Amino acid sequence: MDIADELARFNPDPALAEWVLAQLAEQAKVAQQAQDHADEVAQQHRLLQAKDQELHVKNQELRNKDLKIQALTLELAHHRRIRFGVKSEALAPEQRDLFDDTCAE
């Protein structure tokens, strides 16, 4: 059903017909703007989801790197204890005797 044909059939005042058609055109314009806005919001939502996913991936990578650093730090501390532990700090027999003599004097 076409509004313009319906108005012409009732033979209204031409000013009224123009006003009704102008209101319909304005309403169609507003509906198109609303649709454009809805499309823009949907696009922004998709962009936000993509950024959120990217951020999640980067956070996971950072957690993995932190765990790797922690594991390597612990491994390095273990190797240092093995290499520079109590055994390497022990005095040689000659040094121990010299130390004992010095303490005794």
Side-chain angles (χ1 to χ4, degrees):
M1 160 161 84
D2 189 15
I3 298 293
D5 291 340
E6 289 289 324
L7 283 174
R9 199 164 38 133
F10 287 114
N11 198 13
D13 181 26
L16 178 62
E18 288 177 19
W19 180 81
V20 169
L21 292 175
Q23 292 300 314
L24 289 174
E26 183 67 26
Q27 188 179 22
K29 182 180 173 184
V30 168
Q32 182 60 42
Q33 288 175 344
Q35 182 61 41
D36 291 345
H37 181 68
D39 292 342
E40 184 179 337
V41 167
Q43 181 182 6
Q44 291 292 327
H45 188 262
R46 286 190 300 274
L47 181 64
L48 183 61
Q49 285 180 330
K51 293 283 185 180
D52 189 39
Q53 180 65 25
E54 181 181 334
L55 183 62
H56 178 72
V57 168
K58 286 185 179 183
N59 282 340
Q60 186 64 35
E61 288 174 357
L62 280 176
R63 271 188 247 122
N64 290 343
K65 288 179 182 179
D66 286 344
L67 288 174
K68 183 68 172 180
I69 289 170
Q70 184 181 11
L72 290 172
T73 302
L74 291 173
E75 185 178 350
L76 181 61
H78 175 72
H79 286 289
R80 283 182 178 163
R81 280 192 303 274
I82 290 172
R83 183 171 179 194
F84 302 111
V86 175
K87 187 167 52 172
S88 65
E89 293 178 5
L91 296 175
E94 298 85 20
Q95 289 177 328
R96 191 176 321 114
D97 291 339
L98 182 60
F99 179 74
D100 290 337
D101 290 343
T102 305
C103 286
E105 289 179 8

